[in-house]
Amino acid sequence: MISLDANSSPTPEELPPEIDGLRMTKQRREVFSVVLAERDHPTANDVFSRSQKRMPTISLATVYNCLEALVSHGLVRQVNFEREPSRYCPNLSDHCHFQDQKTGTIHDVVFKEGVNLADFLELPQGTEVSHLEISLKGRIGSN
Amino acid sequence: MISLDANSSPTPEELPPEIDGLRMTKQRREVFSVVLAERDHPTANDVFSRSQKRMPTISLATVYNCLEALVSHGLVRQVNFEREPSRYCPNLSDHCHFQDQKTGTIHDVVFKEGVNLADFLELPQGTEVSHLEISLKGRIGSN
DNA sequence: TCTTCGAATTAGAATAATTCCAATTATTGC
DNA sequence: GCAATAATTGGAATTATTCTAATTCGAAGA
Ligand SMILES: [Mn+2]
Ligand SMILES: [Mn+2]
Ligand SMILES: [Zn+2]
Ligand SMILES: [Zn+2]
């Protein structure tokens, strides 16, 4: 399990050669470390420019490939707000997203202890939910 | 208020010349009536081809313009599933969306009586939510 | 009814996030 | 080291949506 401590995220070199059956290539480690480094939900392009700092030869296509690999192996979450470019989130705990309309900043929002989908949704019986995305927008406090 | 009865939705001619301060042009009535006619959450393209049946000269740009006008006046809801093309929904009651991954069909899902956002989300105090989108994907029953 | 004028419509071009492609390069298992 | 396989790369392609500039519409007043 990769640490999510606010002030110590792994450098690419610190990431193992394989995670969860996914071969961690040099580029995947770079991309993963960029996503882990900050909790600001960067877009693919953000990840690309940050990655380029340490790895100037990485391509945008590779960033997309790596993100896709990380997402499909459950190491990173893809976050969508309406029709905006996808963003990427290293927080694997159950949570959803709030976008401050003033700044565009995206905040993680956690579910209350012990709540369960069926507690607030009238789901047709027999539905098996495999994917859930909750996105909020609004203002914060005095902003 | 526009009727949402399953088996009688207004023809374009039956729609008034203005709704909620929005001037209902011929094209907007056509587009609105198409969205009202079926609860299958059509894409802009779907709306375009259905509209063309009655109004062969309507353009796709106009369909986008009309949908945007209807959405921004709160007469129609725009529904997003990840990075798929937007869909449009005439159901203005509080609800969210479930996509059957087998068929792609989108179903309305209503919230349980009396539930409230703050009941299941740990919202930072002072947040004022102006927009909420909940999208589920999965299987239904024996499918 | 005629005129005016802002708003709406239209066809087509432009945009931009993402995906695809074909060639190259890296890695793995022998 | 030598296939075989997988990943990376640059660039082209895709596609939903938006933009542009020209035309048309339509409400309101003369
Ligand atoms: Mn998602
Ligand atoms: Mn929405
Ligand atoms: Zn997050
Ligand atoms: Zn709906």
Side-chain angles (χ1 to χ4, degrees):
Chain A
M1 185 57 172
I2 300 302
S3 159
L4 285 173
D5 289 6
N7 46 15
S8 90
S9 64
T11 63
E13 300 75 37
E14 286 164 6
L15 289 168
E18 179 176 321
I19 304 181
D20 218 9
L22 178 66
R23 227 177 94 200
M24 292 304 281
T25 64
K26 208 151 56 82
Q27 287 84 350
R28 285 176 185 165
R29 275 192 295 266
E30 177 56 41
V31 165
F32 193 19
S33 78
V34 163
V35 174
L36 290 171
E38 298 224 39
R39 294 190 156 223
D40 63 348
H41 301 90
T43 64
N45 232 321
D46 294 335
V47 174
F48 177 49
S49 31
R50 293 177 199 177
S51 296
Q52 280 185 306
K53 302 232 174 82
R54 294 180 133 260
M55 188 180 277
T57 60
I58 197 172
S59 75
L60 180 56
T62 297
V63 169
Y64 273 104
N65 290 340
C66 293
L67 288 170
E68 144 71 15
L70 293 166
V71 167
S72 68
H73 281 254
L75 299 172
V76 165
R77 277 185 58 183
Q78 184 170 358
V79 174
N80 300 297
F81 270 88
E82 314 207 323
R83 308 212 54 74
E84 296 175 26
S86 285
R87 296 170 172 275
Y88 297 88
C89 173
N91 181 354
L92 299 181
S93 76
D94 229 350
H95 72 288
C96 63
H97 295 96
F98 176 90
Q99 186 176 45
D100 181 344
Q101 284 180 313
K102 204 55 166 278
T103 65
T105 318
I106 290 171
H107 303 268
D108 285 349
V109 173
V110 303
F111 297 110
K112 289 218 163 158
E113 198 72 38
V115 294
N116 160 296
L117 258 198
D119 292 341
F120 58 95
L121 294 183
E122 217 67 90
L123 282 170
Q125 60 140 216
T127 54
E128 189 193 321
V129 175
S130 60
H131 188 83
L132 166 64
E133 186 159 67
I134 301 184
S135 306
L136 322 176
K137 283 196 186 201
R139 312 266 153 170
I140 293 187
S142 50
N143 284 3
Chain B
M1 186 58 174
I2 300 302
S3 160
L4 286 173
D5 288 4
N7 46 13
S8 88
S9 64
T11 62
E13 300 73 39
E14 286 163 6
L15 289 169
E18 178 176 319
I19 304 181
D20 216 11
L22 178 66
R23 221 177 103 202
M24 292 303 282
T25 64
K26 210 152 53 85
Q27 287 84 350
R28 285 176 186 166
R29 275 192 294 266
E30 176 57 41
V31 164
F32 194 18
S33 79
V34 163
V35 174
L36 290 171
E38 297 223 41
R39 294 190 154 224
D40 64 347
H41 301 89
T43 63
N45 232 324
D46 294 334
V47 174
F48 177 49
S49 32
R50 294 177 199 176
S51 296
Q52 279 186 308
K53 301 232 174 83
R54 292 182 134 261
M55 188 181 277
T57 59
I58 197 172
S59 75
L60 179 57
T62 297
V63 170
Y64 273 104
N65 290 340
C66 293
L67 288 170
E68 144 71 16
L70 294 166
V71 167
S72 68
H73 281 254
L75 299 172
V76 166
R77 277 184 60 183
Q78 184 169 0
V79 174
N80 299 297
F81 270 88
E82 316 208 319
R83 308 213 56 74
E84 296 174 25
S86 285
R87 296 169 172 276
Y88 297 88
C89 173
N91 181 355
L92 299 180
S93 76
D94 229 349
H95 72 287
C96 62
H97 294 97
F98 176 90
Q99 185 175 46
D100 182 343
Q101 284 180 313
K102 203 57 168 276
T103 65
T105 318
I106 289 171
H107 303 267
D108 284 349
V109 173
V110 303
F111 297 110
K112 288 216 162 161
E113 197 73 37
V115 293
N116 161 297
L117 259 197
D119 293 341
F120 58 95
L121 294 183
E122 218 63 272
L123 282 169
Q125 61 141 214
T127 56
E128 190 193 322
V129 175
S130 60
H131 188 81
L132 165 65
E133 187 158 65
I134 301 184
S135 305
L136 322 176
K137 283 195 185 202
R139 312 266 154 171
I140 293 187
S142 49
N143 284 2

